[in-house]
Amino acid sequence: LSGLKINSIIDLVKDLDTSRQTKNLNKLLIRILLHLQVEFSMYICGEKTDINMIRNTLLALALGTALCGQAQESMKAEFCSPFDFPLLLSANFGELRPNHFHNGLDIKTQGVTGKPIHAVADGYVSRIMVLHGGYGQAIFVTHPNGYTSVYGHVVSFAPEIQKYVRAYQYEHETFVCNLYPEPDKFPVKAGDIIALSGNEGASAGPHLHLELRRNDNGDYVDPMPFFSHYLKDTRSPVASIVGLYPVAVKGVINGSSRKKLVNVGALKQQFTAWGQIYTGISAKDYMDGTSNFYGVHSVTLYVDSVKVFNSTTDEVSADENRMINGFTDYDELMRTRRLIMRSYKLPGNRLRLIETGSDRGLVTIDEERDYHFCYVLEDNFGNKRKYRFTVRGKKQEIPPYVPEANKMLYWNKTNVIQEPGMELVVPKGMLYDDAELRTRVIGDSNSISFDYVLDIGRTPLHSFCDLSIGVRHLPVADTTKYYIVQKAGKWRSSMGGTYQNGWLKTKVRTLGTFAVGVDTIPPQVTPLGQGSWRVNRNIRFKISDAQTGIRDYKVYVDGNFVLFGLKKGILIIQDPERIKKGVSHKLEVIVTDNCGNETRKQYKF
């Protein structure tokens, strides 16, 4: 290589990677290399090397080894479209939802089900799920580029995959399954049809839910950068509300310790503050060709031109999903269903997508002057919108703290709350901030248990906490019939539970009023359209359970198991072709609730 000209080296670098993602990187390397001609020529002169060494040497010299790793990673993943028609989205990655971020792209399927879904890259089918809710039916394809693609709400799988799933369901007499085929079982190439689009599970209309997950740690990754060239977006995000929040005992807004929510059209009004405050914003993004709205990819707050907060939703782990309740104004969500992103990181919130300084996004107003706030909202396509407002520093009295509860829960330690016949354990990390807890014991000695009020207000828990309630009487000898019930007015919900040495033990993820209940009533089963079963074989049942919910169901026709799926409370036959038309049949349906109460019904058709 001693006689290699610098222009030849530049041409060589151009040929090494011409992908769109790294075009700018190549230009930058060439520009830097022109300034390093002598040093670089001396470095490689006389060395035995190859193309890879030259490339790596250029990267190391120009940008350092860290950038080298990033560049190589950016060149790995390329994906084709999952459909053979133009893509339009009904939801994007990171869109705010109650208790979770939306973890993928929802792609419209032209208002119908049954559209062929293509694998977005080479790989193999690594997982297949069939559920009553959630994804409904989903297929996972693991790719050698470091990602796994997930296709949710599908109505059916490719024939060989469907056959594999059905074999498992009939062998184990179950609709719900979670299968992990061997890597060589179902290899796929980019573009292969792996499923048909549907509306299964927790879906409000026909669409494909498409995810990308990292193979190394399972994190959900924003698919948009890989599919943006299939989409068009020239529209900027739009905000609707800005919130100003005084920190309790440390700040006030307009002389009050209450938050102030302001329509963006009224941001020119005068705001005054003193002490520590933070702000929040409610905003949506929009795209060309649809009337849908989406989550905002990036939110940045500047105060006096200094960046104090940024959230960029590129990657979320499963454990971080529920931390959205610490990111948004949870109180406002519970009261009005409005989602406001707080530009403040609560002390117990570990969301990686939030970037702040050591003050966690707090702004200290300690001078009598104007503080200039500016929000910058940006989507994946570089469309931006700014919102400015001014807060004037004005000395004001900050009200003292007056506790309204009889107990406190602390975010940074394990909390054990006990009342006669009750124990609640809230481990460290289950709260995003300290919270007041009001406890009361209600009821009389004739009840199965007392009612225990555990009122944390509109404060979320991150995950499940252990709750134990003592049983005072056992009106039913079978202890499997007891469960813990959560109450709110006339509303009741089973929290499950296991009886052990006079106590019912369970786990709860919300607080409220709890007691022990007993369930001895079996589920209800009602046939639908029974008169036409013999002709059309569209066998269906409505099933329900008033207390602890449905745990299991099975249907047998002429003594043979026939697969049914439970969809929005209706049992629906999955393989009607297994029922011979025009002849009489005997059918038995068995439905069991979560306390083991069973209903068996037989029908002839």
Side-chain angles (χ1 to χ4, degrees):
L1 291 174
S2 58
L4 196 60
K5 301 294 185 182
I6 193 68
N7 286 339
S8 298
I9 297 174
I10 292 173
D11 290 338
L12 183 61
V13 174
K14 288 180 179 178
D15 292 337
L16 291 177
D17 182 18
T18 58
S19 66
R20 187 168 61 89
Q21 293 95 328
T22 53
K23 186 182 293 183
N24 291 335
L25 174 62
N26 286 334
K27 290 179 180 178
L28 177 61
L29 286 172
I30 293 167
R31 208 176 300 125
I32 295 175
L33 182 59
L34 291 173
H35 294 285
L36 299 174
Q37 291 183 42
V38 177
E39 292 84 348
F40 181 76
S41 298
M42 292 174 61
Y43 183 81
I44 67 170
C45 185
E47 294 285 340
K48 291 183 179 181
T49 187
D50 58 18
I51 289 177
N52 287 331
M53 179 179 175
I54 293 174
R55 180 180 178 282
N56 290 337
T57 302
L58 286 172
L59 288 166
L61 281 172
L63 300 175
T65 56
L67 183 54
C68 174
Q70 294 174 12
Q72 289 173 338
E73 181 68 25
S74 71
M75 290 184 280
K76 282 183 181 179
E78 291 186 2
F79 297 100
C80 65
S81 174
F83 291 115
D84 53 10
F85 52 81
L87 302 188
L88 290 174
L89 303 184
S90 56
N92 66 341
F93 183 87
E95 187 174 304
L96 306 177
R97 302 283 177 86
N99 299 318
H100 71 285
F101 295 93
H102 188 246
N103 295 137
L105 302 180
D106 282 354
I107 302 174
K108 296 186 176 187
T109 55
Q110 301 177 334
V112 298
T113 63
K115 294 289 185 179
I117 300 170
H118 302 274
V120 296
D122 294 354
Y124 64 90
V125 176
S126 55
R127 188 179 180 186
I128 308 163
M129 297 173 62
V130 179
L131 306 170
H132 291 135
Y135 296 105
Q137 299 188 130
I139 184 168
F140 295 60
V141 178
T142 295
H143 309 288
N145 60 20
Y147 296 97
T148 291
S149 55
V150 183
Y151 312 78
H153 307 304
V154 305
V155 70
S156 63
F157 306 107
E160 286 302 308
I161 301 171
Q162 188 75 21
K163 182 179 177 181
Y164 170 78
V165 173
R166 279 291 188 265
Y168 179 92
Q169 290 173 318
Y170 276 93
E171 179 184 355
H172 296 84
E173 297 191 353
T174 179
F175 176 75
V176 174
C177 56
N178 192 6
L179 310 178
Y180 294 85
E182 294 296 323
D184 60 352
K185 182 74 173 177
F186 300 114
V188 298
K189 291 290 185 181
D192 284 355
I193 296 175
I194 56 173
L196 298 180
S197 67
N199 186 28
E200 304 298 298
S203 174
H207 74 282
L208 169 66
H209 175 81
L210 176 66
E211 291 178 4
L212 288 182
R213 300 187 187 184
R214 285 177 49 166
N215 292 342
D216 56 354
N217 61 12
D219 282 4
Y220 305 96
V221 177
D222 187 2
M224 189 75 85
F226 302 101
F227 296 93
S228 58
H229 54 292
Y230 296 109
L231 299 160
K232 184 178 181 181
D233 184 0
T234 60
R235 303 174 67 183
S236 301
V238 178
S240 56
I241 295 171
V242 167
L244 293 91
Y245 298 81
V247 177
V249 200
K250 296 183 178 180
V252 288
I253 301 286
N254 289 355
S256 171
S257 57
R258 295 181 178 274
K259 67 184 177 186
K260 183 175 180 61
L261 303 183
V262 183
N263 188 288
V264 293
L267 286 178
K268 291 184 179 181
Q269 66 180 279
Q270 180 73 61
F271 308 110
T272 65
W274 196 250
Q276 290 186 337
I277 69 169
Y278 63 91
T279 60
I281 192 166
S282 180
K284 297 174 181 176
D285 192 24
Y286 298 86
M287 298 183 72
D288 296 15
T290 78
S291 59
N292 298 83
F293 57 82
Y294 311 92
V296 178
H297 179 245
S298 175
V299 177
T300 307
L301 174 65
Y302 297 89
V303 178
D304 294 336
S305 300
V306 176
K307 184 169 74 171
V308 299
F309 176 90
N310 172 262
S311 63
T312 301
T313 316
D314 287 329
E315 184 172 334
V316 176
S317 72
D319 182 61
E320 288 178 306
N321 245 337
R322 198 169 167 87
M323 294 177 191
I324 191 173
N325 292 331
F327 174 44
T328 58
D329 182 344
Y330 191 75
D331 169 76
E332 192 65 24
L333 174 64
M334 291 296 99
R335 288 192 307 106
T336 67
R337 312 309 297 170
R338 292 190 292 196
L339 284 158
I340 300 175
M341 298 172 282
R342 293 193 279 200
S343 302
Y344 167 54
K345 190 171 186 177
L346 294 174
N349 195 351
R350 305 183 304 279
L351 259 179
R352 293 170 297 167
L353 62 86
I354 296 176
E355 175 193 349
T356 69
S358 59
D359 55 9
R360 304 196 310 277
L362 292 177
V363 178
T364 300
I365 308 293
D366 57 2
E367 298 179 32
E368 293 193 305
R369 63 175 178 85
D370 286 345
Y371 291 76
H372 301 282
F373 289 67
C374 177
Y375 269 111
V376 180
L377 310 180
E378 185 172 3
D379 64 20
N380 288 85
F381 296 80
N383 302 303
K384 296 182 181 180
R385 195 180 301 269
K386 297 181 179 181
Y387 292 89
R388 304 177 188 274
F389 58 97
T390 300
V391 176
R392 174 161 295 179
K394 179 182 179 182
K395 287 185 179 180
Q396 303 167 58
E397 182 181 353
I398 299 176
Y401 171 64
V402 179
E404 298 179 0
N406 57 334
K407 289 181 172 63
M408 286 291 297
L409 297 177
Y410 299 94
W411 70 269
N412 59 351
K413 71 176 188 178
T414 295
N415 305 265
V416 179
I417 305 299
Q418 294 178 322
E419 296 288 351
M422 185 281 298
E423 181 179 86
L424 171 71
V425 179
V426 180
K428 178 181 178 180
M430 293 301 103
L431 291 163
Y432 308 121
D433 202 352
D434 295 344
E436 294 185 355
L437 175 68
R438 301 163 185 84
T439 65
R440 281 193 300 152
V441 182
I442 305 173
D444 57 55
S445 58
N446 294 320
S447 303
I448 297 174
S449 78
F450 291 125
D451 283 12
Y452 295 93
V453 178
L454 303 170
D455 181 7
I456 199 175
R458 298 186 185 96
T459 300
L461 294 175
H462 178 63
S463 191
F464 290 96
C465 303
D466 291 325
L467 175 64
S468 301
I469 297 180
V471 179
R472 301 183 61 82
H473 299 287
L474 290 172
V476 176
D478 185 355
T479 57
T480 65
K481 304 303 182 187
Y482 295 90
Y483 67 102
I484 290 181
V485 57
Q486 185 171 3
K487 305 177 179 182
K490 294 183 179 180
W491 175 83
R492 300 288 185 270
S493 181
S494 170
M495 299 291 107
T498 303
Y499 182 86
Q500 185 178 3
N501 298 324
W503 293 79
L504 253 293
K505 299 176 181 292
T506 193
K507 292 182 179 292
V508 297
R509 199 163 58 174
T510 59
L511 296 187
T513 300
F514 300 93
V516 174
V518 60
D519 183 3
T520 59
I521 302 174
Q524 290 186 329
V525 176
T526 305
L528 301 175
Q530 185 179 356
S532 61
W533 286 0
R534 180 182 292 192
V535 176
N536 59 26
R537 298 174 293 181
N538 183 24
I539 305 171
R540 298 180 299 148
F541 299 91
K542 181 178 180 180
I543 65 173
S544 61
D545 187 78
Q547 290 180 269
T548 54
I550 304 297
R551 181 176 70 193
D552 191 24
Y553 58 87
K554 292 185 186 336
V555 179
Y556 298 90
V557 177
D558 301 328
N560 299 313
F561 174 80
V562 177
L563 187 66
F564 277 67
L566 181 60
K567 303 178 181 183
K568 298 178 174 62
I570 306 296
L571 274 184
I572 302 173
I573 190 170
Q574 301 299 291
D575 299 312
E577 67 277 3
R578 286 179 174 254
I579 309 299
K580 190 174 181 179
K581 293 179 70 173
V583 300
S584 61
H585 298 281
K586 293 181 179 180
L587 180 149
E588 183 178 36
V589 56
I590 307 168
V591 182
T592 309
D593 68 17
N594 282 293
C595 275
N597 302 299
E598 181 181 274
T599 295
R600 285 176 177 260
K601 287 195 174 184
Q602 295 180 343
Y603 303 90
K604 291 182 180 180
F605 66 98

